[in-house]
Amino acid sequence: MSARRSVGAIAAAAVAVALLLAGWAVASSPVGGNAAQREARCGEADAGVEHVSRSGLRKAVLCLTNKARAQHGTDRLGRDDELQKAAQRHANVMSQTGCLASRCPGEPDLEDRISKAGYFEEARKWAYAENSGCAVSAAAMVESWLESSVHRSNLLKSKFRDLGVGIVEKGPEIRCDEGLGVFSAVLAWRKP
């Protein structure tokens, strides 16, 4: 066998081994695994938005946010229904209008949206913030927020106690690439 054929045969064998290993890596991706492994990864956090229920995406965002907070010595956030209403309304508006901002045209400001949802009832003090954006999965969205100093500060702020997450599985084509969902996370604290 000539040297040229030997190199070709070795290269072909290397490609075959690489394909086998790549296939194994895909097979062992976060979609599979046992319940304990999935829980450690925050459920279906890595799955695409079109493959996970809104409830599953919300749980994954909360879980990933709490993992980041734990790494920074910050208390866990709890899920809040009123904040979820405010976040979902905003995600719907962003998806419908193509506006990816804290306040879209014709929409009340964040404090009014939270108040309308009932979160401030009987509270005399409060603080709040919102993160939004487009991403292919809950993990990708939280990672993106953690890479932005403003969004990261919101997620890790020790004063916040509650979180509501809004999601639309298909983002506005004007602002989001195909396959990306729209996320809105409202974080807050209140004192009676």
Side-chain angles (χ1 to χ4, degrees):
M1 183 182 265
S2 71
R4 185 172 239 179
R5 281 181 139 170
S6 295
V7 171
I10 292 170
V15 168
V17 170
L19 288 173
L20 283 172
L21 290 174
W24 177 81
V26 170
S28 65
S29 69
V31 175
N34 65 34
Q37 290 171 327
R38 283 192 303 274
E39 180 60 30
R41 286 189 308 269
C42 294
E44 297 174 289
D46 295 316
V49 293
E50 69 277 5
H51 302 296
V52 183
S53 68
R54 278 188 188 170
S55 175
L57 290 166
R58 287 182 178 120
K59 287 176 184 175
V61 169
L62 177 62
C63 176
L64 293 166
T65 299
N66 280 331
K67 281 188 171 197
R69 289 173 68 87
Q71 290 173 351
H72 291 86
T74 308
D75 291 339
R76 297 174 58 84
L77 296 172
R79 181 187 160 280
D80 185 86
D81 288 335
E82 289 101 355
L83 295 180
Q84 182 175 303
K85 286 178 194 173
Q88 188 61 52
R89 287 176 184 151
H90 186 54
N92 292 343
V93 168
M94 289 190 296
S95 179
Q96 293 163 0
T97 64
C99 165
L100 289 179
S102 295
R103 184 177 185 186
C104 295
E107 182 182 37
D109 67 18
L110 178 56
E111 186 167 332
D112 287 343
R113 293 193 314 262
I114 295 171
S115 182
K116 184 178 179 180
Y119 183 79
F120 296 140
E121 287 181 17
E122 300 182 25
R124 57 185 179 86
K125 289 185 177 183
W126 57 78
Y128 55 85
E130 180 178 59
N131 288 353
S132 59
C134 297
V136 69
S137 67
M141 188 74 266
V142 173
E143 183 178 333
S144 177
W145 288 335
L146 289 170
E147 290 173 356
S148 157
S149 60
V150 172
H151 294 113
R152 178 184 179 87
S153 174
N154 290 342
L155 289 181
L156 302 179
K157 188 170 282 192
S158 62
K159 189 173 216 172
F160 293 145
R161 295 287 176 244
D162 302 312
L163 175 71
V165 178
I167 299 162
V168 176
E169 293 79 4
K170 184 175 182 193
E173 294 175 11
I174 301 167
R175 300 292 306 269
C176 301
D177 291 336
E178 188 175 332
L180 301 184
V182 175
F183 289 76
S184 172
V186 179
L187 304 101
W189 159 88
R190 62 186 166 192
K191 183 174 182 178

